[in-house]
Amino acid sequence: VQLQASGGGSVQAGGSLRLSCTASGLTLPDRAIGWFRQAPDKGREPLSCIGASDGKSYYADSVKGRFTVSRDNAKGTVHLQMNSLRPEDTADYFCIQDRARAYCEGYAFIPSMDDWGQGTLVTVSS
């Protein structure tokens, strides 16, 4: 299933944004879900992973302490709270499932190419 990210926008450095991830009204898959981002002219960067039901989450060093991922299976939503934003956080942000696992093995995994959905643009100005 493709997940859809929303909630992006433009903020000044030091500001906050909260991104949301849904399955277009469907139930979230019983799989770990990760957040990735892609800055202009760069590859996709894994940021975080949250398990399907254990609540465990992991973060890349670049966002640890500033970003927090949460998951509400009853509401079918995963959130990424982003605080202390920096200009280098400017990117398209995506959420995506890990087809292979319901739990996270660290913050990164290799998603299926078929599962990439629409991202949401975050722009941070200095």
Side-chain angles (χ1 to χ4, degrees):
V1 60
Q2 289 185 345
L3 304 176
Q4 307 301 320
S6 62
S10 297
V11 295
Q12 291 190 327
S16 298
L17 280 175
R18 188 191 194 205
L19 305 185
S20 297
C21 173
T22 65
S24 299
L26 301 176
T27 302
L28 287 174
D30 189 24
R31 290 291 177 264
I33 290 176
W35 284 93
F36 289 69
R37 69 185 177 189
Q38 186 167 18
D41 299 324
K42 293 188 177 180
R44 284 172 177 156
E45 175 189 9
L47 302 176
S48 71
C49 179
I50 187 166
S53 58
D54 62 5
K56 292 183 178 180
S57 57
Y58 301 84
Y59 301 90
D61 287 345
S62 59
V63 303
K64 193 177 297 181
R66 301 188 298 124
F67 291 12
T68 303
V69 61
S70 60
R71 180 171 182 154
D72 188 333
N73 289 324
K75 294 183 178 179
T77 306
V78 176
H79 292 294
L80 184 68
Q81 177 68 42
M82 307 187 297
N83 299 328
S84 302
L85 283 163
R86 305 166 179 168
E88 54 264 39
D89 294 318
T90 294
D92 279 311
Y93 284 72
F94 302 85
C95 56
I96 190 166
Q97 66 168 337
D98 181 353
R99 286 195 186 186
R101 299 177 183 84
Y103 56 91
C104 302
E105 290 187 340
Y107 70 91
F109 59 89
I110 301 175
S112 168
M113 290 300 296
D114 293 338
D115 286 343
W116 288 102
Q118 185 175 355
T120 187
L121 179 63
V122 172
T123 304
V124 184
S125 58
S126 58

